[in-house]
Amino acid sequence: MSQDTDRKDSNKPFSSDDTTNTTENLKDEDFSEGISDEDKETIKKVANDDNVSAPKSYASILVEQVIDANETFNRSLGSLFTSAFTAGLEIGFSLFVILSAFALLSEVLPSHYAMVLASLLYPLGFIIVVIGQSLLFTEQTSLLSLPVLNGIEPLRKLLRLWGIVIAGNVFGGCLFAALVIGLGINMELFSSADIDAYAQHVLDFEWWVIFGSSILAGWMMGVAAWLVTSARDTLSRIFLVSLITGSIGFLGLHHSIVGNIEVFSALIYGHTVSLLSYLYFLGIVLVGNTIGGVVFVAILRNRTFLFDFEQNKQQAKDDKRDKAARMNSRLR
């Protein structure tokens, strides 16, 4: 988590083969060889989280996220893609129930109000994905960047990992749209017109508005990942995921993986979306979500931890110096 100022090379707080799932009782083997004993003790101190009745400490959450992200880096490519593909399928349930509710509410309410109320069902797919621990790009964006920010993994490996997760999410979402959304049409739960209406709900903006909205959505998803790590039980995690993702749906913010299913469904079943507009939309939102998760969550929170780390490190030095001074004064 820190760099030793007396060294030229980067110190890595945790080794890449670490399989620890908690920050409690960190051992020396949990750290890479490059880090000094002084830094090891400081990290153990700031990450200590022994009191289960109290909220997790800031450092404890971040260290736990780094360890979990590092484990993801060490998974096989097949395992990563399968998990991401599963998340792409599961997140589609949000759109399936939203479209069904929208079609029903549109019969008794103005379209705008029906869309807003239906969007409150947005969290369903996210709850399935997060509690089921599948790999969703927007949830993992900020988490997976932490080992790179701390010098544990190279940037090229992060970009490859992101590519695998995005490919799995997008492919799974497209398959869900082709099969399950098509099934919903044949079950008369909703119509092609409903699909077009919902696609235009996310497409009918200038590109810079979509870009800004996707940054905000990525930011909120990064916050959701942070809050889920801070929670100690499943019910708390479900509540936090529902609160954050429900807000994203209510505000109509642009989420790349759900948006992929929304727009792709209109591409194959509707009459208002072209292949070019689909690809253009997906590219903008992916970049925006990435910026929101990395810049506003990973980098800022990581820097906050480093400030706390250096403060604790300096405090330890001051305490040691004061103790030595007291001992010297007694010996005189």
Side-chain angles (χ1 to χ4, degrees), residues 243-258:
L243 181 64
I244 299 297
T245 59
S247 298
I248 292 174
F250 177 78
L251 295 172
L253 301 180
H254 292 77
H255 185 278
S256 54
I257 308 306
V258 178

Side-chain angles (χ1 to χ4, degrees), residues 40-79:
K40 289 179 183 178
E41 293 304 316
T42 305
I43 291 176
K44 289 177 184 178
K45 179 181 178 181
V46 299
N48 186 39
D49 187 27
D50 295 325
N51 188 358
V52 295
S53 64
K56 290 184 180 180
S57 67
Y58 189 102
S60 173
I61 297 170
L62 190 58
V63 171
E64 184 176 335
Q65 288 186 334
V66 172
I67 294 173
D68 289 343
N70 209 37
E71 290 179 353
T72 302
F73 271 91
N74 295 320
R75 292 172 62 176
S76 67
L77 298 183
S79 173

Side-chain angles (χ1 to χ4, degrees), residues 288-331:
N289 286 169
T290 302
I291 293 174
V294 173
V295 175
F296 292 100
V297 179
I299 292 179
L300 293 181
R301 291 190 179 277
N302 194 64
R303 290 307 305 172
T304 301
F305 172 80
L306 292 180
F307 287 135
D308 291 344
F309 176 84
E310 291 301 329
Q311 184 178 14
N312 277 272
K313 187 175 179 180
Q314 185 60 46
Q315 183 63 46
K317 289 181 179 179
D318 293 342
D319 291 344
K320 185 180 295 186
R321 185 175 60 250
D322 292 343
K323 183 178 180 180
R326 289 194 300 269
M327 292 183 64
N328 288 335
S329 63
R330 292 175 182 175
L331 293 175

Side-chain angles (χ1 to χ4, degrees), residues 14 18-26 30 47 49 56 60 63-64 67-68 71:
F14 301 98
D18 186 18
T19 57
T20 308
N21 291 318
T22 161
T23 59
E24 298 178 8
N25 301 320
L26 286 173
D30 295 326
D49 187 27
K56 290 184 180 180
S60 173
V63 171
E64 184 176 335
I67 294 173
D68 289 343
E71 290 179 353

